[in-house]
Amino acid sequence: MCSHKFSVFINTYKKMIKRIDATEKAIALIKILQAKHGDLMFYQAGGCCEGTQPQCFEKGGFYQRLGDVCIGLVENTEFWVDKDLFEYWKHAHFTLDVIDAFGVGGFSLETPLKKTFRIEYRIFTPEEEQSLEPVTFIE
């Protein structure tokens, strides 16, 4: 999971439900960026402008705030979410995708490739809610 302190509860009888997955297109782009930049991280802010889309940085290239949440890994890359956005979307599954477009702000590593990461959401079922993978909070 993510690299900060967290509590883990493992239910050996149920499969843990991931909070984030990625499309094949997103995984292919992550692999290209990893080959060029090394370890990466994602951050999804809750504000306007650059916060409307997930941003991809070299690992350590963005400093999370107190309370921010790592919801899981995509291709061994931590996916962090703003604490307020997580509170709003904690009942939703994220799917990381990529489109051919110039992203807002241009700070994310995929921008020079004329690509933009984006998130699609769906609400967890009540059964899924009972078996969600744990998250990591910045303390």
Side-chain angles (χ1 to χ4, degrees):
M1 194 64 156
C2 300
S3 61
H4 294 274
K5 293 189 284 185
F6 63 98
S7 300
V8 177
F9 170 78
I10 298 177
N11 185 336
T12 57
Y13 299 105
K14 292 183 182 179
K15 178 182 177 198
M16 299 302 284
I17 303 299
K18 293 174 66 172
R19 293 175 178 271
I20 184 160
D21 285 303
T23 65
E24 289 181 19
K25 286 174 38 177
I27 290 170
L29 182 55
I30 291 167
K31 288 179 180 180
I32 290 168
L33 294 173
Q34 287 171 330
K36 183 173 184 178
H37 300 282
D39 291 339
L40 305 173
M41 66 178 290
F42 282 96
Y43 189 79
Q44 176 78 48
C48 68
C49 303
E50 75 281 354
T52 59
Q53 297 162 303
Q55 301 290 298
C56 182
F57 301 101
E58 291 179 1
K59 189 169 184 170
F62 182 86
Y63 296 102
Q64 305 93 321
R65 300 174 305 151
L66 266 163
D68 284 348
V69 182
C70 182
I71 63 169
L73 301 175
V74 176
E75 289 302 301
N76 296 315
T77 300
E78 296 173 348
F79 195 99
W80 289 90
V81 177
D82 170 84
K83 63 182 178 179
D84 296 326
L85 183 67
F86 177 75
E87 189 60 34
Y88 186 77
W89 284 106
K90 67 184 173 187
H91 301 288
H93 179 271
F94 288 43
T95 300
L96 182 66
D97 196 9
V98 64
I99 58 173
D100 294 327
F102 182 76
V104 178
F107 300 114
S108 195
L109 292 176
E110 79 281 4
T111 300
L113 302 174
K114 298 181 181 172
K115 305 282 185 189
T116 299
F117 285 108
R118 71 178 179 143
I119 291 292
E120 296 175 2
Y121 304 96
R122 73 165 176 82
I123 303 301
F124 288 117
T125 65
E127 295 78 22
E128 289 174 323
E129 286 269 354
Q130 300 301 312
S131 300
L132 293 175
E133 285 185 345
V135 298
T136 301
F137 293 87
I138 298 284
E139 298 175 331

